[in-house]
Amino acid sequence: MIRIATAAALVLLAGSARAEDLIRLNTFPTARSLPFFVGVEKGFFARHGIRLEFEFTESSSAQREGLASGKFEVVHSAVDNALAMIELAKVDVVIVSGGDGGTNEFIVGKGLSSYADVRGKALVTDAPNTAYALQAKKILLKQGLKDGVDYRLNAVGAGPFRLKAMLEGGDNAAAIMNLPFSAQTIEAGLKSLGRTVDLLGPYQAGGAFVLRAWAKAHPDVLERYLAGFITSVRWVVDKSHREEAIALLMSKRNLTRSLAERSYDLMIEPGFGFNPDAKLSVEGFNNVLILRQEIEGGPAPRPEKYLDLSYYGRALKLVK
């Protein structure tokens, strides 16, 4: 597991010196981790009195377990993972902001060219019952292919592991991939059958979620953290920072220039990449709920059960 930390100095808030509050963050090792690197490098979190430490997870299962056990305070991940924590693990978490549309594409293996080519082979996923696995199941279901009947699941974990499995080939026929991994598969000769937002409609992918009890106990810390994140996203989507952002992706994520350029340009597309100010897309979130109910079953979900955007609203007022 990769761990990135910043040791920041004391900052002046409200005219007096205040020690920074520590936030331990867990996220995925994708190109969309760029705002965290930016926020640390530019001091956006420190400006709001936050010392950020973040680490990359190997899977959403490990991530959910870590949040539940108090290993870290904040998770940035597909918000459907929060729904799974609430409904399946019965852990009281709450989604406190949006983030991005996922930059997801449906990728098929080398030599394959259609959804029909997945029949009899494996769909490569992270966790088999959350987020992008559900997107993939729905896409294949629309093509007449049913999980466990027409294809099997190969749950290998986060993007780097899905990339490895897809490049190895064999029975690994398809996967939902996001940046930079989708771009890497295409450079390697694999094929995209389309963006998931084009195939399924708007989707609230990435967002921030926390234990509800922790949020209630530390509202000021959470709001200042979110203010730092919003500031970082604003910097990223500002095209005047393109060259610096590309350089950060190359150095922090070890990408070639072509991969960094493609990742940046696609990540700043509204609806596909970062949401403006990391705002949660109501339409996209409703589609997350509908998809989860359709694929996993259960009663009709109520959005308010999973959301508390009051922290985000107050954080937005802190951003100048």
Side-chain angles (χ1 to χ4, degrees):
M1 186 173 289
I2 305 171
R3 187 177 181 89
I4 299 96
T6 177
L10 296 180
V11 293
L12 294 178
L13 293 175
S16 62
R18 174 195 274 179
E20 292 176 330
D21 291 296
L22 172 66
I23 288 286
R24 297 169 299 174
L25 166 76
N26 187 272
T27 191
F28 277 84
T30 71
R32 288 173 294 137
S33 57
L34 178 60
F36 306 116
F37 291 115
V38 167
V40 170
E41 296 263 331
K42 298 292 181 182
F44 295 148
F45 292 107
R47 179 187 301 174
H48 292 282
I50 297 298
R51 178 165 63 91
L52 183 68
E53 293 182 356
F54 66 103
E55 65 181 27
F56 292 137
T57 189
E58 296 179 353
S59 70
S60 57
S61 297
Q63 186 180 68
R64 296 196 299 267
E65 290 167 5
L67 180 61
S69 68
K71 186 178 179 182
F72 28 82
E73 289 76 38
V74 180
V75 159
H76 273 261
S77 180
V79 295
D80 188 60
N81 286 299
L83 308 188
M85 289 187 72
I86 294 166
E87 298 297 346
L88 301 180
K90 307 303 179 183
V91 178
D92 192 14
V93 301
V94 64
I95 299 164
V96 294
S97 83
D100 58 79
T103 68
N104 292 323
E105 298 188 56
F106 193 99
I107 304 293
V108 291
K110 188 173 291 187
L112 307 183
S113 60
S114 71
Y115 299 107
D117 291 334
V118 180
R119 189 182 299 275
K121 298 182 177 66
L123 172 69
V124 177
T125 70
D126 177 9
N129 61 351
T130 58
Y132 310 149
L134 303 189
Q135 283 191 312
K137 290 178 183 179
K138 173 63 175 178
I139 290 168
L140 290 172
L141 194 61
K142 290 175 68 175
Q143 299 296 320
L145 300 177
K146 187 175 180 180
D147 169 32
V149 176
D150 300 298
Y151 63 90
R152 63 180 179 85
L153 298 181
N154 182 15
V156 300
F161 302 107
R162 300 201 301 277
L163 174 65
K164 181 175 183 291
M166 289 299 291
L167 294 180
E168 286 175 349
D171 281 345
N172 296 319
I176 298 292
M177 306 289 288
N178 50 37
L179 295 166
F181 312 112
S182 54
Q184 288 174 289
T185 59
I186 292 169
E187 282 194 359
L190 282 66
K191 183 176 181 178
S192 171
L193 297 186
R195 300 178 176 188
T196 59
V197 291
D198 296 328
L199 298 168
L200 299 176
Y203 187 83
Q204 180 59 61
F209 52 95
V210 301
L211 293 174
R212 193 184 295 269
W214 180 86
K216 288 181 177 179
H218 304 88
D220 176 65
V221 177
L222 177 56
E223 290 156 19
R224 287 186 284 111
Y225 163 76
L226 290 173
F229 181 64
I230 292 166
T231 304
S232 301
V233 171
R234 284 186 180 180
W235 187 97
V236 168
V237 300
D238 184 340
K239 293 180 182 179
S240 69
H241 301 142
R242 182 177 186 272
E243 283 303 312
E244 192 173 353
I246 288 169
L248 274 172
L249 284 171
M250 292 172 67
S251 64
K252 300 297 186 181
R253 299 300 305 125
N254 194 29
L255 300 179
T256 64
R257 182 168 184 87
S258 64
L259 286 172
E261 287 178 337
R262 179 172 176 79
S263 295
Y264 176 79
D265 291 339
L266 291 176
M267 285 193 300
I268 65 171
E269 285 191 24
F272 185 60
F274 292 112
N275 299 346
D277 284 350
K279 185 177 181 180
L280 185 128
S281 164
V282 174
E283 182 181 10
F285 186 65
N286 284 336
N287 284 341
V288 172
L289 297 178
I290 292 168
L291 178 63
R292 181 160 197 85
Q293 182 191 25
E294 181 178 351
I295 301 299
E296 290 296 301
R302 296 175 291 107
E304 62 272 15
K305 178 180 180 181
Y306 310 106
L307 301 173
D308 187 343
L309 300 179
S310 63
Y311 304 100
Y312 173 86
R314 289 188 291 271
L316 201 55
K317 294 177 181 178
L318 299 176
V319 180
K320 298 178 181 180

